[in-house]
Amino acid sequence: MTGLEEARETILSSVSPLGAEVVAVPDVVGRVLASDQFSPWDLPMWDNSAMDGYAVRAADCQERSVLPVRGFLPAGKPAVDALEPGQADRILTGAPLPAGADAVVPFELTEAVPDGVRLLVRPAVGDHVRKRGGDLRAGQAVLTEGRVLGPAEVAVLAATGRSTVPVVRRPRVAVLSTGDELLVPGEPLRDGRIHDSNGPALAAAALRTGVVPTVLPIARDHPDDLRRSLETGLRADVLVTSAGVSAGDRDLVREVLGDLGAKEAFWQVDIQPGRPMAFATNDTCRVFALPGNPVAALLTFEVFVRPALRRMLGHRRPVEPLLRARLEEDVRPRANRVTLRRVRLERTADGLVATSAGRQATGFVTTLARADGIAFIPRGEDVLTAGTRVDVQPLRAEADFTGEMA
Ligand code: AMP
Ligand code: MG
């Protein structure tokens, strides 16, 4: 059996960031920048006013100077002529400073008088002026490759005139549920069948990771049907299947994948739940054959598939940092397998506390829905007593922890 770390290493070493595609600037949120971006010009492009007020030549001004007002400069209208000594222009925030002017006196530090404006302060050179290039210089790298783009990066790109930007393309991900017992949610339940929850759940997990998956029609536990579906799935960059991967009579996924030329890198990881899981590859596709059990399917996605997708998406840290949390109750580890314990998390003055999210039986999806994270309980003989600190992989943002609501 393969250890969790070893399995993840095998997976991560078989994937790398995909190539670039050009995407419209507002749509790049959450994507990873594919190349360094440089500013084509100084930002701001010209000296401009940081306040609504009067543009002046500081050398001409004393406290209580009265200056004639020559003109009015709103934003977006550069002054045509230079400001002559002793003049002022009424100017609004963001308007280019007229040539000759070197300071702005805000309205609130002036008084209107019949023949112009009276200054109530003596301005110094540069007061309330945003200098050309103060934010960025032409040719300067504004964002470097690997940067995860958020609203602030979008602001910088747009401010430097970009409408599109190269980002790492998203992997094409196919999700395939397999099993004779499965019905599409919405179909009426009948004789011993169940609704496919893995397909929608794994698709949702892919979406949460930042990819848009294709959900294939359910495949039956029959070699021909599976072959057709797996063949389609293998055309994607990543194929995520669920079920049919244990050692039962109808567990055909591995065999058919092998027939289709996918090479199995490992089968069975020493984790609980999630042990029967296979990873296989061909030249173009990475195949995660996840267990059928809905809890195991989703947990193995989070632990193995999510980091692989993150690496393909260009993230520098495919495996996200773990949290440390204190166990609220005693936990008995397994002797020979890492336990993926579903826990609720709560922030206390003494750090995070991890409480069981409910019955840890592998069939209980509601326990998974209550879980805020996966606590990794290392294999061992001795009970981990309450208070022991363990690593936890969060399943949602802290603001969304289920806490007392559960
Ligand atoms: P298997 O690995 O095919 O033996 O499936 C293990 C368990 O997971 C069985 O109880 C299946 O009915 C259940 N299961 C398999 N696929 C799904 C699915 N897509 N949605 C919900 N339950 C499933
Ligand atoms: Mg089955």
Side-chain angles (χ1 to χ4, degrees):
M1 241 193 286
T2 310
L4 187 156
E5 291 301 333
E6 186 192 345
R8 195 151 55 189
E9 269 313 301
T10 302
I11 291 165
L12 287 177
S13 62
S14 83
V15 294
S16 41
L18 300 177
E21 66 175 345
V22 172
V23 172
V25 157
D27 300 333
V28 297
V29 170
R31 304 287 293 272
V32 178
L33 192 62
S35 60
D36 295 353
Q37 301 299 308
F38 300 90
S39 179
W41 49 60
D42 289 340
L43 196 72
M45 275 179 97
W46 4 258
D47 294 354
N48 71 96
S49 180
M51 296 287 280
D52 295 333
Y54 292 92
V56 298
R57 303 166 63 119
D60 308 338
C61 303
Q62 302 298 324
E63 194 176 330
R64 306 201 69 78
S65 288
V66 172
L67 306 176
V69 179
R70 176 187 71 153
F72 173 58
L73 302 172
K77 274 268 173 72
V80 178
D81 300 316
L83 198 68
E84 299 299 330
Q87 291 182 325
D89 272 334
R90 203 172 156 89
I91 192 167
L92 298 186
T93 306
L97 233 59
D102 54 16
V104 172
V105 182
F107 285 152
E108 48 273 40
L109 300 178
T110 65
E111 261 171 22
V113 291
D115 43 353
V117 60
R118 173 178 291 125
L119 309 184
L120 303 180
V121 290
R122 179 178 183 182
V125 171
D127 278 1
H128 306 293
V129 173
R130 302 171 180 153
K131 292 298 286 178
R132 169 180 183 157
D135 205 353
L136 267 178
R137 286 290 180 189
Q140 197 179 330
V142 290
L143 296 170
T144 53
E145 180 193 339
R147 176 70 83 97
V148 179
L149 302 174
E153 286 77 13
V154 164
V156 169
L157 290 165
T160 52
R162 314 300 303 272
S163 60
T164 61
V165 70
V167 293
V168 179
R169 94 172 162 80
R170 292 166 166 151
R172 286 165 302 139
V173 175
V175 173
L176 175 67
S177 296
T178 75
D180 285 339
E181 73 277 38
L182 302 179
L183 294 170
V184 175
E187 273 188 276
L189 270 187
R190 51 181 194 269
D191 39 79
R193 317 274 302 262
I194 61 170
H195 285 129
D196 167 23
S197 63
N198 288 346
L202 295 171
L207 284 167
R208 190 175 83 97
T209 310
V211 307
V212 183
T214 303
V215 180
L216 301 177
I218 293 166
R220 300 304 167 196
D221 295 319
H222 186 280
D224 295 339
D225 196 38
L226 265 180
R227 187 183 314 270
R228 269 192 300 275
S229 298
L230 290 172
E231 235 163 13
T232 305
L234 283 167
R235 289 190 211 119
D237 299 309
V238 174
L239 169 58
V240 181
T241 71
S242 63
V245 76
S246 303
D249 302 341
R250 294 280 173 85
D251 291 336
L252 305 170
V253 170
R254 296 172 60 222
E255 192 186 315
V256 177
L257 278 173
D259 292 347
L260 291 171
K263 276 230 269 302
E264 191 168 275
F266 62 79
W267 176 53
Q268 297 204 319
V269 184
D270 59 6
I271 52 174
Q272 165 63 34
R275 181 173 66 119
M277 165 191 161
F279 177 65
T281 63
N282 66 17
D283 288 348
T284 55
C285 186
R286 306 287 165 266
V287 188
F288 296 85
L290 304 184
N293 179 307
V295 172
L298 213 39
L299 291 184
T300 49
F301 184 100
E302 296 294 338
V303 174
F304 298 110
V305 186
R306 183 175 164 90
L309 296 181
R310 283 177 54 81
R311 171 156 284 172
M312 295 171 102
L313 286 163
H315 290 279
R316 292 267 160 85
R317 299 171 78 176
V319 180
E320 294 150 287
L322 299 174
L323 305 174
R324 293 286 285 171
R326 281 183 297 116
L327 292 172
E328 205 212 30
E329 59 254 308
D330 291 357
V331 173
R332 177 170 296 283
R334 286 163 196 273
N336 52 8
R337 290 205 242 161
V338 173
T339 309
L340 308 182
R341 186 176 174 78
R342 284 148 280 156
V343 294
R344 278 162 49 199
L345 293 168
E346 228 172 309
R347 171 86 47 195
T348 70
D350 191 25
L352 287 171
V353 175
T355 314
S356 172
R359 280 202 50 199
Q360 297 288 320
T362 53
F364 282 43
V365 272
T366 53
T367 307
L368 191 53
R370 258 195 300 275
D372 298 317
I374 307 167
F376 294 92
I377 308 298
R379 60 176 87 78
E381 304 292 340
D382 303 326
V383 168
L384 299 186
T385 50
T388 304
R389 281 180 203 276
V390 293
D391 287 330
V392 179
Q393 178 174 339
L395 293 170
R396 48 178 124 244
E398 180 165 347
D400 301 325
F401 284 172
T402 55
E404 253 83 74
M405 294 186 314

